[in-house]
Amino acid sequence: MNDPILFSPITLAAAEGPGIQVRNRAFIAPMCQYSVEAKDGVPTDWHLQQLGSFAAGGFGLVTTEATAVEPHGRISPRDLGIWNDEQLDSHARIVAFEHSQGAIAAVQLAHAGMKASTYPGLPGFTPGYVPEAEGGWQTRTPENLSKDDIAEIVGRFAQAAQRADQAGYDVVQLHGAHGYLMHEFLSPLTNKRTDEYGGDETGRSRFVREIVSAVRAVWPAGKPLGIRFSATDWVENGWDVDATARLAQVLVADHGVTWIDASSGGLGNGTIPVGPGYQVPLASRIKTALDGTNTVVSAVGLITKAQQAETILATGQSDAISVGRAALRDPHWAAAAAAELGVPRDQLPSAPQLHRANW
């Protein structure tokens, strides 16, 4: 194939200036590793080698896993954080290596809400909440947060964005998906508040809009800002793709968001039609709603094959592809996909030390 779209550059726009050019449209989705054994939120050598492998393996943009904006915002005690200087310094080490490999470095800022304080999602751990006697903590839901608590968390996101900038990250992605706190406020399945943070779509999205505005106010105007949504709960009368599209339009027009990543699920017991590319129609619906803007919409969800990814882009269903599990299996998925799609060997987006892979 001549000039595959997947391996053409793409620009993530910013509030001011030219934005940031990404060398290709193969993005790494944030994937929790539950590998901070010291339970202090500090990135480890595991994170350096894993994220570094994705960068050396040819991905254009590498997103660091869900990174908590405060200790109680971690999914598990072994999650990453970015609320202190020690964490910042370790993030900076990872970012520097990703940059040395030609990749753009993104970080997902997150608060797990009612799904915090759980055991790591690794073999050997029992699913469920970690009790306080074992180092767990009281979780936070839309209902048990006062307005002062909400303002504090909004501020924590802004502080985390400032630290992300100091660490050298090029892009911030806010985690509004998978049943975590921002998604919990959006969904009528979990947000039962009757004040200005609940009720209709405007009320339920207020928390998200306040976070986005607070982050955009401190995040450099020349750097892109993104958000990942669960575009649907897959439950009747839950959060759905049309509501997501409406909110995306507001965040793009009024709050400086220029990248939307479309995932789904995480709340309720709906039937999810899992299969190859099952979430691509969600990205397509959002992309249509944002037609005429300079927003990049990325699709994610069992996109595992090079030609599959290329077809999604060629048919205009998304602007970029977020790869998860396939990259866990092969950190050099991007270089292999480029070769499969006909990119000349001397132009493969991989580290020169890998040239004997003979893709």
Side-chain angles (χ1 to χ4, degrees), residues 209-279:
R209 289 184 281 112
E210 288 184 354
I211 288 174
V212 174
S213 291
V215 169
R216 184 68 275 179
V218 300
W219 184 240
K223 291 186 175 184
L225 175 61
I227 186 168
R228 170 175 263 198
F229 284 119
S230 274
T232 179
D233 290 330
W234 301 108
V235 177
E236 187 176 0
N237 298 320
W239 184 253
D240 63 27
V241 68
D242 291 330
T244 303
R246 287 189 289 270
L247 179 55
Q249 289 173 321
V250 171
L251 296 182
V252 168
D254 300 337
H255 299 277
V257 169
T258 58
W259 173 30
I260 306 289
D261 193 56
S263 189
S264 71
L267 292 174
N269 297 309
T271 300
I272 302 177
V274 176
Y278 70 104
Q279 294 175 150

Side-chain angles (χ1 to χ4, degrees), residues 112-180:
M114 69 182 187
K115 296 179 77 172
S117 189
T118 59
Y119 288 105
L122 296 173
F125 288 92
T126 302
Y129 288 96
V130 179
E132 293 185 44
E134 295 182 20
W137 55 88
Q138 182 65 46
T139 60
R140 310 181 87 170
T141 70
E143 276 64 47
N144 69 20
L145 288 173
S146 69
K147 292 179 184 178
D148 286 343
D149 293 331
I150 289 173
E152 178 187 354
I153 292 173
V154 170
R156 292 278 194 167
F157 272 92
Q159 292 165 9
Q162 290 175 308
R163 291 187 183 278
D165 177 48
Q166 292 171 346
Y169 281 107
D170 306 296
V171 185
V172 154
Q173 181 191 84
L174 300 171
H175 197 352
H178 302 162
Y180 301 120

